[in-house]
Amino acid sequence: MPTPDAVDPTGVGDALRSGFLAAVARGLPLTTALRLGCAMATLVLESAGTQEYQIVPTDLLSRLLDAYGPSEAAALEPMLAELPRLPEYTG
């Protein structure tokens, strides 16, 4: 998933694996799982520091929709809807 906003590669591999494994654990196809992993990796790549990013389900779905189309976003939407809503990071 291309991004013009790459900041820091720290944690990108961990994010890719976490997205991939979370989707596989929920029984999603491997291609869909890899796409979630890529979206997670891109989110982390755009953040400075090891855990300074936030996963906002609607933003992640928008990225998936833009990169992979409506069918992939729809396949992941129920899983992402399960994520807890966290207070916004103010750093």
Side-chain angles (χ1 to χ4, degrees):
M1 178 177 284
T3 179
D5 301 320
V7 175
D8 184 355
T10 304
V12 169
D14 293 335
L16 184 128
R17 283 187 296 277
S18 68
F20 172 75
L21 292 173
V24 167
R26 286 171 177 78
L28 294 170
L30 293 180
T31 301
T32 300
L34 284 169
R35 288 178 174 165
L36 177 60
C38 288
M40 294 286 296
T42 301
L43 177 70
V44 171
L45 182 62
E46 294 172 351
S47 303
T50 57
Q51 294 182 0
E52 304 304 319
Y53 59 91
Q54 276 202 333
I55 300 168
V56 179
T58 54
D59 293 345
L60 200 52
L61 275 173
S62 178
R63 290 171 181 262
L64 289 160
L65 178 64
D66 291 345
Y68 303 115
S71 63
E72 288 296 331
L76 289 160
E77 187 171 15
M79 180 184 143
L80 295 176
E82 296 173 10
L83 293 176
R85 303 293 189 255
L86 301 175
E88 186 147 338
Y89 177 76
T90 58

